[in-house]
Amino acid sequence: ACAWDEFLPEILQATKPFFSPIDLEKGSSWWNGIAESLAASNGLGIFFLTSENLRSPWLNFEAGAIASFHNKARVCTFLIGIEPGNVPPPLGMFQHTSIDEEDILKLITTINRCLEEPISESILQRSFSNVWPRLKARLDECTIPVAASAVEQPKVPASSTDELNAIARIENSLASLSEQLSTMSRRLGIGSLE
């Protein structure tokens, strides 16, 4: 995530990533900071998934918040050391990005298209090509190979009934979260979040 916070604005200068460990000041309300950032965002969030944080309630909360804040929300999952089939719902329901040059360029292209004033494909390609070697080196630092037996990979529900139940729980959680966030945004005077 730190690598993205550093390199994404170098590729797409119009981006202003929000990275809570850096952008939230000590002593500030995390809820207000997240709510304000989501309200000001274009509805796109990148979630870096590892075997350690795959079931993190915080990641699921932020993903749900983004998904409920915007009609055209994009929840982009970036997989580090895990396979797509091992990502459970709700995050398993979104398109994933792997540490692969072509796949990362597709993600950056998606981000570019979400900007108010996207840059041309040729400029995007040149910017990405210039940054890629350094970004790849940073990403490689994050992906130290882990023995398959060392990390228990969660499995996606096997039956359709399990999947439908999981989706129903997610929908209920998102509806509740959306209501809470709307209440909070009114309190903060942010206005409509759509």
Side-chain angles (χ1 to χ4, degrees):
C2 289
W4 277 89
D5 192 52
E6 177 184 342
F7 289 110
L8 186 58
E10 191 173 335
I11 299 167
L12 296 170
Q13 291 78 27
T15 59
K16 294 176 182 71
F18 177 83
F19 183 44
S20 55
I22 293 173
D23 295 321
L24 288 178
E25 293 182 11
K26 295 293 183 190
S28 66
S29 166
W30 62 267
W31 178 264
N32 292 346
I34 297 288
E36 289 169 6
S37 176
L38 288 172
S41 78
N42 62 358
L44 186 140
I46 303 172
F47 296 86
F48 297 88
L49 303 181
T50 65
S51 58
E52 291 81 21
N53 72 5
L54 196 55
R55 294 191 181 274
S56 165
W58 182 246
L59 280 178
N60 286 299
F61 169 80
E62 286 188 357
I66 286 175
S68 66
F69 258 27
H70 297 277
N71 293 332
K72 296 180 181 179
R74 305 261 187 200
V75 174
C76 303
T77 54
F78 195 99
L79 307 182
I80 301 173
I82 55 176
E83 296 298 319
N86 292 326
V87 180
L91 294 173
M93 298 166 42
F94 299 98
Q95 294 295 314
H96 305 297
T97 299
S98 299
I99 297 180
D100 168 80
E101 183 176 3
E102 183 179 330
D103 213 20
I104 292 172
L105 179 57
K106 287 179 185 177
L107 173 60
I108 291 175
T109 300
T110 296
I111 296 167
N112 185 48
R113 289 180 183 150
C114 291
L115 295 173
E116 286 184 28
E117 295 183 31
I119 62 174
S120 72
E121 295 288 325
S122 62
I123 293 173
L124 174 68
Q125 181 65 51
R126 277 195 309 272
S127 294
F128 179 74
S129 294
N130 288 334
V131 170
W132 173 248
R134 292 180 291 128
L135 177 58
K136 173 79 168 112
R138 285 290 301 276
L139 292 172
D140 286 344
E141 294 171 9
C142 299
T143 58
I144 299 167
V146 178
S149 61
V151 177
E152 182 182 328
Q153 298 276 338
K155 300 295 180 199
V156 174
S159 73
S160 296
T161 303
D162 289 343
E163 291 173 356
L164 290 174
N165 287 336
I167 291 169
R169 284 191 307 275
I170 293 163
E171 288 177 343
N172 289 337
S173 295
L174 288 175
S176 173
L177 176 62
S178 178
E179 190 174 307
Q180 292 171 8
L181 291 172
S182 292
T183 300
M184 181 58 72
S185 69
R186 284 192 299 278
R187 287 182 189 158
L188 294 171
I190 295 173
S192 175
L193 298 176
E194 293 183 12

